Amino acid sequence: MASETFKFLQLSDVHLDSPQNRGVLSYSPAQRAARYADLVESFVVACKVATDQGVDAVLLPGGLWDHRSIRGQTAGTVLEAIAELGDIPVYITPGCGDPYTIDAYFNDDYLKARGMRTWPSNACIFRTHDFTTVRHPKRPEVAITGHAHMSQRKISDRLLSNYVPRDEEALINLLVFHGSLDTYPGLDLLTQDRITAPFSVEELAAQRFTYTALGHFHEYTELCDENDLLIGAYSGCLIGRNFDELGPRVAMLGTITTEDGVPVTTLEPIEVASNRLTYVPVDISGLDAEGIKAEIAYGIQEQEIRPDVDIVCLSLEGSYSNDLDPFEVAQELRPDFYQIVIVDRTRPDYFAEEYDPRTTEHKYLESMLERQRQAEEKRSANPKADTLTGVPGMLLSGKTIEDALYYGLDALKKQKVTHRHVD
């Protein structure tokens, strides 16, 4: 039997028009508008990649936009970009953040009511909670299965634990699914409300789909069966939105090659976003102003950061002499960057000084160090204690008291308090 090839582009979790200014990010109105435009541009560029690569289909397993904040103009741009793909079909499963509802832009009736164009004929949106299977319009040997999240409520059912219907006569069966892998790396860092439609690798493998395009989690993750055969993947988010989504973010070009009736899938990550979110920690201990600038420049170069286009979080760490202000030194470099967020986690090197026991500073320092010692003893004796115990100060950690110590010394020595980012 001759070999056949089916190419697809997979992308998800673009979260168009999702709220900005998260975490340490603080965009101005102009920067926020530019960031919204970056997200839209990443999707439009991904569609162009699909055309340039001559793919047979685009797979979009949820997270296209934020249901609560998506604007009509942005949704209209999405429809236009998909229409520009011509006869390349786009298979979309509405996810938990962009569900199919009566007031969703996935709903043609809603679009008509707003005076907007309806979805182009090459868009195949799965609009029911039940799994549905359709044949590819130009490749009858290929079938695609999907379903829709019908609200923003999380799905607790293990949807893949029961048989998911597919086209038994198709040579290639694709599943487009928005859900949570039990063994996803970093799962312990996610809050419980991020878990929806949970499943295991074993449950997915038992469904015997050729390949599953997964959405919802934001890191590129491949899933293999017990024979180490690739059976699915998360492409991750298309563009980073916060500093827990660092570095290149990708769409995936997939190729399914069938040799003697056995399909094998390979994936190639493709970066489409014009900029990246990056994080540069810099230890300024023992450095003067020029040394701090040189250390920052080294960190930028080592991570191959593009200052003119990338968004940089610069974390200043370590201790400094009292005649230096590391934050002000870093501020001088701001014009060299497209956008930079400076996080000051430094400390003045107060402990290098000797204090006269008669001074207020010495008495304050002595008192706070004793309080820190006592707090750490209490936490060590009862690490599960909380404010419900009614014991004053039980939740105070040694770190919290240390922060207060430095702020107090700031006030005593400088007559002003320098705000720092503390963990």
Coordinates of all heavy atoms in Angstrom, one line a residue, residues 318-404:
G318 N 19.6 40.0 46.2 CA 20.9 40.2 46.9 C 20.8 41.4 47.8 O 19.8 42.1 48.0
S319 N 22.0 41.8 48.3 CA 22.1 42.9 49.2 C 23.1 44.0 48.7 O 23.9 43.7 47.8 CB 22.6 42.5 50.6 OG 23.9 41.8 50.5
Y320 N 22.9 45.2 49.1 CA 23.7 46.3 48.6 C 24.1 47.3 49.7 O 23.5 47.3 50.8 CB 22.9 47.1 47.5 CG 21.6 47.7 48.0 CD1 21.6 49.0 48.5 CD2 20.4 46.9 48.0 CE1 20.4 49.5 49.0 CE2 19.3 47.5 48.5 CZ 19.2 48.8 48.9 OH 18.1 49.3 49.4
S321 N 25.2 48.0 49.4 CA 25.6 49.0 50.4 C 24.7 50.2 50.4 O 23.9 50.5 49.5 CB 27.0 49.5 50.0 OG 27.0 50.1 48.7
N322 N 24.7 50.9 51.6 CA 23.7 52.0 51.8 C 23.8 53.2 50.8 O 22.9 53.9 50.7 CB 23.8 52.5 53.2 CG 23.3 51.4 54.2 OD1 22.5 50.6 53.9 ND2 23.7 51.5 55.4
D323 N 25.0 53.3 50.2 CA 25.1 54.4 49.3 C 24.7 54.1 47.8 O 25.0 54.9 46.9 CB 26.6 54.9 49.2 CG 27.5 53.8 48.8 OD1 27.1 52.6 48.7 OD2 28.7 54.1 48.6
L324 N 24.0 53.0 47.6 CA 23.6 52.5 46.3 C 22.1 52.3 46.3 O 21.5 51.8 47.3 CB 24.4 51.3 45.9 CG 24.2 50.7 44.5 CD1 24.8 51.7 43.5 CD2 24.9 49.4 44.4
D325 N 21.4 52.5 45.2 CA 20.0 52.2 45.0 C 19.9 51.4 43.7 O 19.9 51.9 42.6 CB 19.2 53.5 44.9 CG 17.7 53.2 44.9 OD1 17.3 52.0 44.5 OD2 16.9 54.0 45.2
P326 N 19.9 50.0 43.8 CA 19.9 49.1 42.7 C 18.7 49.4 41.8 O 18.8 49.3 40.5 CB 19.8 47.7 43.3 CG 20.4 47.9 44.6 CD 19.9 49.2 45.1
F327 N 17.5 49.7 42.4 CA 16.3 50.0 41.5 C 16.5 51.2 40.6 O 16.2 51.1 39.5 CB 15.1 50.2 42.5 CG 13.8 50.4 41.7 CD1 13.1 49.3 41.2 CD2 13.3 51.6 41.5 CE1 12.0 49.4 40.5 CE2 12.1 51.8 40.8 CZ 11.4 50.7 40.3
E328 N 17.1 52.2 41.2 CA 17.4 53.4 40.4 C 18.4 53.1 39.3 O 18.3 53.7 38.1 CB 17.8 54.6 41.2 CG 16.8 55.2 42.2 CD 15.6 55.7 41.4 OE1 15.8 56.3 40.3 OE2 14.4 55.5 41.8
V329 N 19.4 52.3 39.6 CA 20.4 51.9 38.5 C 19.7 51.2 37.4 O 19.9 51.5 36.2 CB 21.5 51.0 39.2 CG1 22.4 50.5 38.1 CG2 22.3 51.8 40.2
A330 N 18.8 50.2 37.7 CA 18.1 49.5 36.7 C 17.1 50.4 35.9 O 16.9 50.2 34.7 CB 17.3 48.3 37.3
Q331 N 16.5 51.4 36.6 CA 15.6 52.3 36.0 C 16.3 53.0 34.8 O 15.7 53.4 33.8 CB 15.1 53.3 37.0 CG 14.0 52.7 37.9 CD 12.6 52.8 37.2 OE1 12.4 52.3 36.2 NE2 11.7 53.4 37.9
E332 N 17.6 53.3 35.0 CA 18.3 54.0 33.9 C 18.3 53.3 32.6 O 18.5 53.9 31.5 CB 19.7 54.3 34.4 CG 19.8 55.3 35.6 CD 21.2 55.4 36.1 OE1 22.2 55.0 35.3 OE2 21.4 56.0 37.2
L333 N 18.1 51.9 32.7 CA 18.2 51.1 31.4 C 16.8 51.0 30.8 O 16.7 50.4 29.7 CB 18.7 49.7 31.8 CG 20.0 49.6 32.5 CD1 20.3 48.2 32.8 CD2 21.1 50.2 31.5
R334 N 15.8 51.6 31.4 CA 14.4 51.4 30.8 C 14.3 51.8 29.4 O 13.6 51.1 28.6 CB 13.4 52.2 31.7 CG 12.0 51.9 31.4 CD 11.1 52.6 32.4 NE 11.2 52.0 33.7 CZ 10.5 50.9 34.1 NH1 9.8 50.2 33.3 NH2 10.7 50.4 35.4
P335 N 14.9 52.9 28.9 CA 14.8 53.3 27.5 C 15.3 52.3 26.5 O 15.0 52.3 25.3 CB 15.6 54.6 27.4 CG 15.6 55.2 28.8 CD 15.7 53.9 29.7
D336 N 16.2 51.3 27.0 CA 16.8 50.3 26.1 C 15.8 49.2 25.8 O 16.1 48.3 25.0 CB 18.1 49.8 26.7 CG 19.1 50.9 26.9 OD1 19.0 51.9 26.2 OD2 20.0 50.7 27.8
F337 N 14.7 49.2 26.5 CA 13.8 48.0 26.4 C 12.4 48.4 25.8 O 11.9 49.5 26.0 CB 13.5 47.4 27.8 CG 14.7 46.7 28.3 CD1 15.7 47.4 29.0 CD2 14.9 45.3 28.2 CE1 16.8 46.8 29.5 CE2 16.0 44.7 28.7 CZ 17.0 45.4 29.4
Y338 N 11.8 47.5 25.1 CA 10.4 47.6 24.6 C 9.5 47.8 25.8 O 8.7 48.7 25.9 CB 10.0 46.5 23.7 CG 8.6 46.3 23.5 CD1 7.9 47.3 22.7 CD2 7.9 45.2 24.0 CE1 6.5 47.1 22.5 CE2 6.5 45.1 23.8 CZ 5.8 46.0 23.0 OH 4.5 45.9 22.8
Q339 N 9.6 46.8 26.7 CA 8.9 46.9 28.0 C 9.7 46.1 29.0 O 10.1 45.0 28.8 CB 7.5 46.4 27.9 CG 6.7 46.7 29.2 CD 5.3 46.3 29.0 OE1 4.8 46.1 27.9 NE2 4.6 46.2 30.1
I340 N 9.9 46.7 30.2 CA 10.6 46.0 31.3 C 9.8 46.3 32.6 O 9.4 47.4 32.9 CB 12.1 46.5 31.4 CG1 12.8 45.7 32.4 CG2 12.1 48.0 31.7 CD1 14.3 46.0 32.4
V341 N 9.7 45.2 33.4 CA 9.1 45.3 34.7 C 10.3 45.0 35.7 O 10.9 43.9 35.6 CB 8.0 44.2 34.9 CG1 7.5 44.2 36.3 CG2 6.9 44.5 33.9
I342 N 10.6 45.9 36.6 CA 11.7 45.8 37.5 C 11.1 45.4 38.9 O 10.3 46.1 39.5 CB 12.5 47.1 37.6 CG1 13.0 47.5 36.2 CG2 13.7 46.9 38.6 CD1 13.7 48.9 36.2
V343 N 11.5 44.2 39.3 CA 11.0 43.7 40.6 C 12.2 43.8 41.6 O 13.3 43.2 41.4 CB 10.6 42.2 40.5 CG1 10.1 41.7 41.9 CG2 9.4 42.1 39.5
D344 N 12.1 44.6 42.6 CA 13.1 44.8 43.6 C 13.0 43.9 44.8 O 12.1 44.1 45.6 CB 13.1 46.3 44.0 CG 14.3 46.6 44.9 OD1 15.2 45.8 45.1 OD2 14.4 47.8 45.4
R345 N 13.8 42.9 44.8 CA 13.9 41.9 46.0 C 15.2 42.1 46.7 O 15.6 41.2 47.5 CB 13.7 40.5 45.5 CG 12.3 40.2 44.9 CD 12.1 38.7 44.7 NE 10.8 38.4 44.3 CZ 10.3 38.2 43.0 NH1 11.2 38.3 42.0 NH2 9.1 37.9 42.8
T346 N 15.8 43.2 46.6 CA 17.1 43.4 47.2 C 16.9 43.9 48.7 O 15.8 44.3 49.1 CB 17.9 44.5 46.5 OG1 17.2 45.7 46.5 CG2 18.2 44.0 45.1
R347 N 18.0 43.8 49.4 CA 18.0 44.3 50.8 C 19.2 45.2 51.0 O 20.3 44.9 50.5 CB 18.1 43.2 51.8 CG 17.1 42.1 51.7 CD 15.8 42.6 52.3 NE 14.9 41.5 52.6 CZ 13.6 41.6 53.0 NH1 13.1 42.8 53.2 NH2 12.9 40.6 53.3
P348 N 19.1 46.3 51.7 CA 20.3 47.1 52.2 C 21.1 46.2 53.1 O 20.5 45.4 53.9 CB 19.7 48.3 52.8 CG 18.3 47.9 53.2 CD 17.8 46.9 52.2
D349 N 22.4 46.3 53.1 CA 23.2 45.4 53.9 C 23.4 46.0 55.3 O 24.5 46.4 55.7 CB 24.6 45.3 53.2 CG 25.4 44.1 53.8 OD1 24.8 43.4 54.6 OD2 26.5 44.0 53.4
Y350 N 22.2 46.1 56.0 CA 22.3 46.7 57.3 C 23.1 45.8 58.3 O 23.6 46.4 59.3 CB 20.8 46.8 57.8 CG 20.0 47.9 57.2 CD1 18.7 47.8 56.9 CD2 20.6 49.1 56.8 CE1 17.9 48.8 56.3 CE2 19.9 50.1 56.2 CZ 18.6 49.9 55.9 OH 17.8 50.9 55.3
F351 N 23.1 44.5 58.1 CA 23.8 43.7 59.1 C 25.3 43.8 59.0 O 26.0 43.2 59.9 CB 23.4 42.2 58.9 CG 21.9 42.0 59.3 CD1 20.9 41.9 58.4 CD2 21.6 41.8 60.6 CE1 19.6 41.7 58.7 CE2 20.3 41.6 61.0 CZ 19.3 41.5 60.1
A352 N 25.8 44.4 58.0 CA 27.3 44.6 57.9 C 27.7 45.8 58.8 O 28.9 45.9 59.1 CB 27.7 44.9 56.4
E353 N 26.8 46.6 59.3 CA 27.1 47.7 60.2 C 27.2 47.3 61.7 O 26.6 46.3 62.1 CB 26.1 48.8 60.1 CG 25.9 49.3 58.6 CD 24.8 50.4 58.6 OE1 24.7 51.2 59.6 OE2 24.1 50.5 57.6
E354 N 28.0 48.0 62.4 CA 28.0 47.8 63.9 C 27.2 48.9 64.5 O 27.3 50.1 64.2 CB 29.4 47.9 64.4 CG 30.3 46.7 63.9 CD 31.7 46.7 64.6 OE1 31.8 47.5 65.6 OE2 32.5 45.9 64.2
Y355 N 26.3 48.5 65.5 CA 25.4 49.5 66.1 C 25.8 49.6 67.6 O 26.0 48.7 68.3 CB 23.9 49.0 66.0 CG 23.4 48.9 64.6 CD1 23.6 47.7 63.9 CD2 22.8 50.0 64.0 CE1 23.1 47.6 62.6 CE2 22.3 49.9 62.7 CZ 22.5 48.7 62.0 OH 22.0 48.6 60.7
D356 N 25.8 50.9 68.0 CA 26.0 51.2 69.4 C 24.8 50.7 70.2 O 23.6 51.0 69.9 CB 26.1 52.7 69.6 CG 26.5 53.1 71.0 OD1 26.1 52.5 71.9 OD2 27.3 54.1 71.1
P357 N 25.1 49.8 71.2 CA 23.9 49.3 72.0 C 23.0 50.3 72.6 O 21.9 50.0 73.0 CB 24.7 48.5 73.1 CG 26.0 48.2 72.6 CD 26.4 49.3 71.7
R358 N 23.4 51.6 72.7 CA 22.6 52.6 73.3 C 21.6 53.2 72.3 O 20.7 53.9 72.7 CB 23.5 53.7 73.8 CG 24.4 53.3 75.0 CD 25.5 54.3 75.3 NE 26.4 54.5 74.1 CZ 27.4 55.4 74.1 NH1 27.6 56.2 75.2 NH2 28.2 55.5 73.1
T359 N 21.8 52.9 71.0 CA 21.0 53.5 70.0 C 19.6 52.8 69.8 O 19.5 51.6 70.1 CB 21.7 53.5 68.6 OG1 21.9 52.2 68.2 CG2 23.0 54.2 68.7
T360 N 18.7 53.6 69.2 CA 17.4 53.0 68.9 C 17.5 51.9 67.9 O 16.8 50.9 68.0 CB 16.4 54.1 68.4 OG1 16.3 55.2 69.4 CG2 15.1 53.6 68.1
E361 N 18.4 52.1 66.9 CA 18.6 51.1 65.9 C 19.0 49.7 66.5 O 18.5 48.7 66.1 CB 19.6 51.5 64.9 CG 19.2 52.6 63.9 CD 19.5 54.0 64.5 OE1 19.8 54.1 65.7 OE2 19.6 54.9 63.7
H362 N 19.9 49.8 67.4 CA 20.4 48.5 68.1 C 19.3 47.8 68.8 O 19.1 46.6 68.7 CB 21.6 48.8 69.0 CG 22.2 47.6 69.6 ND1 21.6 47.0 70.8 CD2 23.2 46.7 69.2 CE1 22.3 45.9 71.1 NE2 23.3 45.7 70.1
K363 N 18.6 48.6 69.7 CA 17.5 48.1 70.5 C 16.4 47.5 69.6 O 15.8 46.4 69.9 CB 16.9 49.1 71.4 CG 17.9 49.6 72.4 CD 17.4 50.7 73.3 CE 18.5 51.2 74.3 NZ 18.0 52.3 75.1
Y364 N 16.1 48.2 68.5 CA 15.0 47.7 67.6 C 15.5 46.4 66.9 O 14.7 45.4 66.8 CB 14.8 48.8 66.5 CG 13.8 48.3 65.4 CD1 12.5 48.2 65.6 CD2 14.3 48.0 64.1 CE1 11.6 47.8 64.6 CE2 13.5 47.6 63.1 CZ 12.1 47.5 63.4 OH 11.3 47.1 62.4
L365 N 16.7 46.4 66.5 CA 17.3 45.2 65.8 C 17.3 44.0 66.7 O 16.9 42.9 66.4 CB 18.7 45.5 65.3 CG 19.4 44.4 64.5 CD1 18.7 44.0 63.3 CD2 20.8 44.9 64.2
E366 N 17.7 44.2 67.9 CA 17.8 43.2 68.9 C 16.4 42.6 69.2 O 16.1 41.4 69.3 CB 18.4 43.7 70.2 CG 18.7 42.6 71.3 CD 19.4 43.2 72.4 OE1 18.9 44.2 73.0 OE2 20.6 42.8 72.8
S367 N 15.4 43.5 69.4 CA 14.0 43.1 69.7 C 13.4 42.3 68.5 O 12.8 41.3 68.7 CB 13.2 44.3 69.9 OG 11.8 44.0 70.1
M368 N 13.6 42.8 67.3 CA 13.0 42.1 66.1 C 13.7 40.7 65.9 O 13.0 39.8 65.5 CB 13.2 43.0 64.9 CG 12.3 44.2 64.9 SD 10.5 43.9 65.0 CE 10.2 43.4 63.3
L369 N 15.0 40.6 66.1 CA 15.6 39.3 65.9 C 15.1 38.3 66.9 O 15.0 37.1 66.6 CB 17.1 39.5 66.0 CG 17.8 40.2 64.8 CD1 19.3 40.4 65.1 CD2 17.7 39.4 63.6
E370 N 14.8 38.8 68.2 CA 14.3 37.9 69.2 C 12.9 37.5 68.8 O 12.5 36.3 68.9 CB 14.3 38.6 70.5 CG 13.6 37.8 71.6 CD 14.2 36.5 71.9 OE1 15.4 36.3 71.5 OE2 13.6 35.6 72.5
R371 N 12.1 38.4 68.2 CA 10.7 38.0 67.8 C 10.8 37.0 66.6 O 10.0 36.1 66.5 CB 10.0 39.3 67.3 CG 9.6 40.2 68.5 CD 8.5 41.2 68.0 NE 7.3 40.5 67.6 CZ 6.2 41.1 67.2 NH1 6.2 42.4 67.0 NH2 5.1 40.4 66.9
Q372 N 11.7 37.2 65.8 CA 11.9 36.3 64.6 C 12.2 34.9 65.1 O 11.7 33.9 64.7 CB 13.0 36.8 63.7 CG 13.2 35.9 62.5 CD 14.3 36.4 61.6 OE1 15.2 37.1 62.0 NE2 14.2 36.1 60.3
R373 N 13.1 34.8 66.1 CA 13.5 33.5 66.7 C 12.3 32.9 67.3 O 12.0 31.7 67.1 CB 14.6 33.7 67.7 CG 15.1 32.4 68.3 CD 16.0 32.7 69.5 NE 15.3 33.3 70.6 CZ 14.5 32.6 71.5 NH1 14.3 31.3 71.3 NH2 13.9 33.2 72.4
Q374 N 11.5 33.6 68.1 CA 10.3 33.1 68.8 C 9.3 32.6 67.7 O 8.7 31.5 67.9 CB 9.7 34.1 69.7 CG 10.6 34.5 70.9 CD 10.0 35.6 71.7 OE1 8.9 36.1 71.4 NE2 10.7 36.0 72.8
A375 N 9.1 33.4 66.7 CA 8.1 33.0 65.7 C 8.5 31.7 65.0 O 7.7 30.8 64.7 CB 7.9 34.1 64.6
E376 N 9.8 31.6 64.7 CA 10.2 30.3 64.0 C 10.1 29.1 64.9 O 9.8 28.0 64.5 CB 11.7 30.5 63.5 CG 11.8 31.5 62.4 CD 13.2 31.9 62.0 OE1 14.1 31.5 62.8 OE2 13.4 32.5 60.9
E377 N 10.3 29.3 66.2 CA 10.1 28.2 67.2 C 8.7 27.8 67.2 O 8.4 26.6 67.2 CB 10.6 28.7 68.6 CG 12.1 28.7 68.7 CD 12.5 29.0 70.2 OE1 11.6 29.3 71.0 OE2 13.7 29.0 70.5
K378 N 7.7 28.8 67.2 CA 6.3 28.4 67.3 C 5.9 27.7 66.0 O 5.1 26.7 66.1 CB 5.5 29.7 67.5 CG 5.6 30.3 68.8 CD 4.7 31.6 68.9 CE 4.8 32.3 70.2 NZ 4.0 33.5 70.3
R379 N 6.4 28.2 64.9 CA 6.0 27.5 63.6 C 6.5 26.1 63.5 O 5.9 25.2 63.0 CB 6.5 28.4 62.4 CG 5.9 29.8 62.3 CD 4.7 29.8 61.6 NE 4.9 29.6 60.2 CZ 4.0 29.9 59.2 NH1 2.9 30.5 59.5 NH2 4.3 29.6 58.0
S380 N 7.8 26.0 64.1 CA 8.4 24.6 64.0 C 7.6 23.7 64.9 O 7.5 22.5 64.6 CB 9.8 24.7 64.5 OG 10.4 23.5 64.5
A381 N 7.1 24.2 66.1 CA 6.4 23.3 67.0 C 5.0 23.0 66.5 O 4.5 21.9 66.9 CB 6.4 24.0 68.4
N382 N 4.4 23.8 65.8 CA 3.0 23.6 65.3 C 2.9 24.2 63.9 O 2.3 25.2 63.7 CB 2.0 24.2 66.3 CG 0.6 23.8 66.0 OD1 0.4 23.1 65.1 ND2 -0.3 24.2 66.9
P383 N 3.5 23.5 62.9 CA 3.4 24.0 61.5 C 2.1 24.2 60.9 O 1.9 24.9 60.0 CB 4.3 23.0 60.7 CG 4.2 21.8 61.5 CD 4.1 22.2 63.0
K384 N 1.0 23.5 61.5 CA -0.3 23.5 60.9 C -1.2 24.6 61.6 O -2.3 24.7 61.3 CB -1.0 22.1 61.0 CG -0.3 21.1 60.2 CD -1.1 19.8 60.3 CE -0.4 18.7 59.4 NZ -1.1 17.4 59.5
A385 N -0.6 25.3 62.5 CA -1.4 26.3 63.2 C -1.9 27.4 62.3 O -1.2 27.7 61.3 CB -0.5 27.0 64.3
D386 N -3.1 27.9 62.6 CA -3.6 29.0 61.8 C -4.3 30.0 62.7 O -4.3 29.9 64.0 CB -4.5 28.5 60.7 CG -5.7 27.8 61.3 OD1 -6.1 28.0 62.4 OD2 -6.2 26.9 60.6
T387 N -4.8 31.1 62.1 CA -5.4 32.1 62.9 C -6.6 31.6 63.7 O -7.0 32.3 64.7 CB -5.8 33.3 62.0 OG1 -6.6 32.8 61.0 CG2 -4.6 34.0 61.5
L388 N -7.2 30.5 63.4 CA -8.3 30.0 64.1 C -8.0 29.5 65.5 O -8.8 29.2 66.3 CB -9.0 28.8 63.3 CG -9.6 29.2 61.9 CD1 -10.2 28.0 61.3 CD2 -10.7 30.3 62.1
T389 N -6.7 29.3 65.8 CA -6.2 28.9 67.1 C -6.4 30.0 68.1 O -6.5 29.7 69.3 CB -4.8 28.4 67.1 OG1 -4.0 29.6 66.7 CG2 -4.5 27.3 66.1
G390 N -6.5 31.2 67.6 CA -6.7 32.3 68.6 C -5.4 32.7 69.2 O -5.3 33.6 70.1
V391 N -4.2 32.1 68.9 CA -2.9 32.5 69.4 C -2.4 33.6 68.6 O -2.1 33.5 67.5 CB -2.0 31.3 69.4 CG1 -0.6 31.7 70.0 CG2 -2.6 30.1 70.1
P392 N -2.2 34.8 69.3 CA -1.7 36.0 68.5 C -0.3 35.7 67.9 O 0.6 35.2 68.6 CB -1.6 37.1 69.6 CG -2.6 36.6 70.7 CD -2.5 35.1 70.6
G393 N -0.2 36.0 66.7 CA 1.1 35.9 66.0 C 1.5 34.5 65.6 O 2.6 34.3 65.1
M394 N 0.6 33.6 65.7 CA 0.9 32.2 65.4 C 1.3 32.0 63.9 O 2.1 31.2 63.6 CB -0.2 31.3 65.8 CG 0.1 29.8 65.9 SD 1.3 29.6 67.3 CE 1.2 27.9 67.5
L395 N 0.6 32.8 63.1 CA 0.9 32.7 61.6 C 2.1 33.5 61.2 O 2.5 33.4 60.0 CB -0.3 33.1 60.8 CG -1.3 32.0 60.3 CD1 -2.3 32.5 59.4 CD2 -0.5 30.9 59.6
L396 N 2.6 34.3 62.0 CA 3.8 35.2 61.6 C 5.0 34.3 61.4 O 5.4 33.5 62.2 CB 4.1 36.2 62.7 CG 3.2 37.4 62.8 CD1 3.7 38.3 63.9 CD2 3.2 38.2 61.5
S397 N 5.5 34.3 60.2 CA 6.7 33.6 59.9 C 8.0 34.4 60.2 O 7.9 35.7 60.3 CB 6.7 33.2 58.4 OG 6.9 34.3 57.6
G398 N 9.1 33.7 60.3 CA 10.3 34.5 60.4 C 10.6 35.4 59.3 O 11.2 36.5 59.5
K399 N 10.2 35.0 58.1 CA 10.4 35.8 56.9 C 9.6 37.1 57.0 O 10.1 38.2 56.6 CB 10.0 35.0 55.7 CG 10.1 35.8 54.3 CD 11.6 36.0 54.0 CE 11.8 36.5 52.6 NZ 11.0 37.7 52.3
T400 N 8.3 37.0 57.5 CA 7.5 38.2 57.6 C 8.1 39.2 58.6 O 8.2 40.4 58.4 CB 6.1 37.8 58.1 OG1 5.5 37.0 57.1 CG2 5.2 39.0 58.2
I401 N 8.6 38.7 59.7 CA 9.3 39.5 60.7 C 10.5 40.2 60.1 O 10.9 41.3 60.4 CB 9.5 38.8 62.0 CG1 8.2 38.4 62.6 CG2 10.3 39.6 63.0 CD1 8.3 37.5 63.9
E402 N 11.3 39.4 59.3 CA 12.5 39.9 58.7 C 12.1 41.1 57.8 O 12.8 42.1 57.8 CB 13.2 38.8 57.9 CG 14.5 39.3 57.3 CD 15.1 38.2 56.4 OE1 15.7 37.3 57.1 OE2 15.0 38.2 55.2
D403 N 11.0 40.9 57.0 CA 10.6 42.0 56.2 C 10.3 43.3 57.0 O 10.7 44.4 56.6 CB 9.4 41.6 55.4 CG 9.6 40.5 54.4 OD1 10.8 40.4 53.9 OD2 8.7 39.8 54.0
A404 N 9.6 43.1 58.1 CA 9.3 44.2 59.0 C 10.5 44.8 59.5 O 10.6 46.1 59.7 CB 8.3 43.8 60.1

